Amino acid sequence: MTILVTGGAGFIGSAFVDYYLNAHPGRRVVCVDKLTYAGRMSNLENALKNADFRFIKTDICSREDIYRVFEEEKPDIAVNYAAESHVDRSIASPEEFVRTNVTGTAVLLDACVKYGIKRFHQISTDEVYGALPLDHPDVLFTEETPLDPSSPYSASKAAADMLVMAYRRTYGLPVTVSRCSNNYGPRQLSEKLIPLVIEKARRNELVPVYGNGLNVRDWIYVTDHCRAVGMILENGREGDIYNIGGQCELRNIDIVLKILELLEKPKSLVTYVQDRKGHDLRYGMDITKINKELGWKPETEFQNGLKQTVEWYTHKV
């Protein structure tokens, strides 16, 4: 069996490549990545030592290149991690997000239809659902929650999800979709909250916090996310959507303070800055479906995962 992983040199994609190679010895993993600022060959250091792994540098928006990959590698499964994902960047430059997240997904779907594939899996985000109220912690996103994206990033991911399901209805393409909450762990770029705070605090620089810092996110350690996707590929129902969450809702300011405590840095490093445009108040995921159907639940307790993450950034060269 051969699995194609797009965006596999990125933070989450590379973690999935490592997970899949370890979980399924003997299966081939072909990684496609454009190697933009978010994709790094160093993330694939372990995978490149594995004889069952191949890396191909290309853009998922290049129909000619993607078709060539499908012709040469004949993948049985395709998992699409490739995406522009930073909300701030999408606000400043939406066009690239539409190109990669929508057009790129369409090219991959066309290739899957043309060459025949057993499963196409789309990696999505909880942000496609919009925002939840802060004063009703019992209200969570379910797979039936209507899509209500707030940013160009989340709108492009919602459009991609809809394309995936439309290709199932129109062409009979076997698909699944997973929508995950905020990931954290080693190898994440410093534009995201946790690594940004770690790196600034280590340098004794001011740590920026949007607005009042009370926005709430659901956090999941990256390897728990990868394990969930693996279980969906093996036993998930074709045509279904699965929410993946860490069952760990925390305010942004609390995350910042936990990191400062681990690094033994003063709270005075915190500086509040102008809030992001369209900043969603809260995300929270109901994971009942994936838990009942596949037996998945997050295993990494947040404090342990955060400590491991801080240690990785502290000791990286």
Side-chain angles (χ1 to χ4, degrees):
M1 177 179 286
T2 297
I3 180 171
L4 175 69
V5 181
T6 67
F11 161 52
I12 307 177
S14 64
F16 179 77
V17 167
D18 286 343
Y19 159 80
Y20 201 85
L21 286 168
N22 290 330
H24 301 285
R27 294 187 184 182
R28 295 186 66 246
V29 175
V30 177
C31 170
V32 166
D33 201 294
K34 187 181 178 182
L35 294 180
T36 62
Y37 78 97
R40 298 174 177 176
M41 289 303 295
S42 59
N43 290 343
L44 297 170
E45 181 179 359
N46 292 328
L48 289 165
K49 300 173 185 176
N50 193 313
D52 292 324
F53 177 77
R54 183 188 178 193
F55 175 79
I56 302 171
K57 181 181 178 181
T58 194
D59 184 351
I60 61 168
C61 295
S62 172
R63 187 174 298 273
E64 180 181 357
D65 289 349
I66 291 299
Y67 281 13
R68 185 182 303 114
V69 170
F70 273 74
E71 288 176 1
E72 293 177 356
E73 302 298 334
K74 298 177 174 57
D76 300 285
I77 298 171
V79 183
N80 183 28
Y81 280 93
E84 295 285 345
S85 65
H86 190 44
V87 175
D88 288 355
R89 287 179 181 268
S90 81
I91 293 171
S93 182
E95 184 177 0
E96 187 62 26
F97 284 71
V98 174
R99 179 181 181 275
T100 299
N101 299 352
V102 182
T103 302
T105 300
V107 170
L108 291 170
L109 291 167
D110 285 341
C112 289
V113 171
K114 179 178 175 65
Y115 294 99
I117 201 161
K118 295 177 181 177
R119 174 71 61 84
F120 177 88
H121 183 76
Q122 173 72 1
I123 303 295
S124 188
T125 170
D126 56 0
E127 296 190 44
V128 300
Y129 294 125
L132 292 170
L134 289 175
D135 56 350
H136 290 283
D138 56 317
V139 177
L140 299 170
F141 294 136
T142 72
E143 289 81 359
E144 286 73 42
T145 299
L147 303 187
D148 187 24
S150 303
S151 69
Y153 160 61
S154 55
S156 68
K157 291 297 289 184
D161 288 4
M162 296 178 77
L163 264 181
V164 171
M165 301 311 290
Y167 269 66
R168 178 177 183 264
R169 289 189 180 185
T170 303
Y171 304 105
L173 185 66
V175 304
T176 42
V177 175
S178 59
R179 294 172 177 153
C180 193
S181 60
N182 280 37
N183 282 232
Y184 71 100
R187 304 198 299 235
Q188 190 172 27
L189 286 178
S190 59
E191 65 184 10
K192 299 300 177 72
L193 177 63
I194 287 178
L196 176 69
V197 175
I198 294 171
E199 297 200 347
K200 283 190 172 293
R202 287 183 62 209
R203 297 193 295 262
N204 295 309
E205 296 176 2
L206 292 177
V207 175
V209 175
Y210 279 132
N212 56 16
L214 302 183
N215 300 71
V216 172
R217 297 294 180 264
D218 180 11
W219 294 91
I220 183 171
Y221 196 65
V222 65
T223 52
D224 281 335
H225 181 192
C226 295
R227 184 168 49 84
V229 172
M231 294 174 76
I232 293 169
L233 293 176
E234 294 298 309
N235 297 304
R237 288 189 296 179
E238 189 278 318
D240 271 19
I241 295 168
Y242 293 88
N243 281 352
I244 304 170
Q247 294 189 307
C248 178
E249 290 188 40
L250 291 168
R251 302 182 306 175
N252 287 347
I253 186 60
D254 294 330
I255 297 284
V256 172
L257 294 177
K258 285 177 182 292
I259 294 170
L260 293 178
E261 181 180 356
L262 285 170
L263 291 171
E264 298 182 343
K265 298 292 184 178
K267 296 179 182 179
S268 58
L269 290 180
V270 174
T271 180
Y272 293 94
V273 299
Q274 184 176 355
D275 207 355
R276 168 193 290 161
K277 295 178 180 178
H279 199 177
D280 289 334
L281 290 176
R282 171 179 164 252
Y283 303 143
M285 296 291 263
D286 185 333
I287 62 168
T288 301
K289 180 177 180 178
I290 192 171
N291 177 251
K292 285 189 174 181
E293 291 189 10
L294 305 181
W296 179 89
K297 63 180 180 180
E299 295 179 348
T300 307
E301 195 274 328
F302 182 78
Q303 192 66 25
N304 293 334
L306 185 63
K307 184 179 179 180
Q308 293 172 29
T309 303
V310 169
E311 288 175 350
W312 184 86
Y313 282 96
T314 302
H315 295 103
K316 76 172 183 174
V317 178

